[in-house]
Amino acid sequence: MDMVILPGPAPIRLLDYILNAILIVAGSIMVLLVFTNVVTHIFNKDIAWTTELCEFLMVWASFLGGAAAARRGAHMTITEFLDKLGEKGRFKADAVIQLLCLLVLGLLIWFGMVIVNANWGNHLTVLGWPMAYQYLALPVGAFLSFIFVSYDLLQIMQGVSRLERYGE
């Protein structure tokens, strides 16, 4: 099964491809570790680090998955009013929405880094890694989303339709 990569300039396509690959690997590792830990429970054993590593990977997969959804225009939207605006009105509304998204993503990046910097002294209980590594998923995911939303806004400003941008 091939990963679907949307059209765009090479750096955007490459970033999309790498992001998808990371998500597939992280998901596969989580499935393998959870299955292994369930099997060991049959024998009254527990691999303590698997739970913490899976939690770590799940946090990262959530934020990276949000960026992958931003690339595909797959975040939930309510378009009841947008669809009534007509083509020109829809382009303007989409541009305003993407600008607001960029503002929120910028805040997430900024305050995410504040949280990361405040947690270098805290460590995961079993793995012993700094909690900052887990919290780093927020600004990294927001930054990747910022790149994809910026590219989408650029396409909107060039008059590229949603159908052309996302293949819907």
Side-chain angles (χ1 to χ4, degrees):
M1 182 164 143
D2 293 331
M3 288 189 284
V4 175
I5 304 297
L6 295 173
I12 296 289
R13 287 193 328 268
L14 178 63
L15 190 57
D16 189 20
Y17 182 84
I18 291 169
L19 182 58
N20 288 327
I22 289 170
L23 287 167
I24 289 168
V25 169
S28 300
I29 290 170
M30 284 188 286
V31 167
L32 180 65
L33 289 177
V34 169
F35 177 77
T36 301
N37 210 22
V38 168
V39 170
T40 61
H41 277 93
I42 294 171
F43 303 104
N44 293 323
K45 303 285 182 195
D46 183 43
I47 308 171
W49 60 268
T50 60
T51 304
E52 198 165 82
L53 181 58
C54 285
E55 175 188 308
F56 180 88
L57 290 172
M58 181 59 78
V59 169
W60 273 90
S62 296
F63 286 103
L64 295 180
R71 168 69 170 126
R72 284 162 183 68
H75 283 284
M76 184 178 76
T77 56
I78 300 171
T79 62
E80 186 173 348
F81 297 112
L82 294 175
D83 292 340
K84 296 178 191 256
L85 295 175
E87 192 174 334
K88 263 191 170 178
R90 177 66 191 255
F91 274 110
K92 289 178 184 176
D94 282 346
V96 169
I97 289 166
Q98 294 302 58
L99 283 170
L100 290 172
C101 286
L102 289 174
L103 174 67
V104 171
L105 289 167
L107 291 171
L108 288 173
I109 293 166
W110 177 264
F111 287 107
M113 286 309 298
V114 170
I115 293 168
V116 168
N117 289 328
N119 280 284
W120 284 106
N122 299 328
H123 293 83
L124 295 170
T125 307
V126 178
L127 295 173
W129 300 347
M131 284 293 295
Y133 291 153
Q134 186 161 326
Y135 292 130
L136 192 59
L138 170 60
V140 169
F143 179 72
L144 293 171
S145 294
F146 192 93
I147 291 170
F148 294 138
V149 171
S150 296
Y151 174 67
D152 190 52
L153 177 60
L154 180 64
Q155 290 203 299
I156 290 168
M157 292 169 51
Q158 292 173 347
V160 179
S161 72
R162 186 167 180 83
L163 177 64
E164 294 170 298
R165 293 189 330 261
Y166 302 121
E168 295 178 351

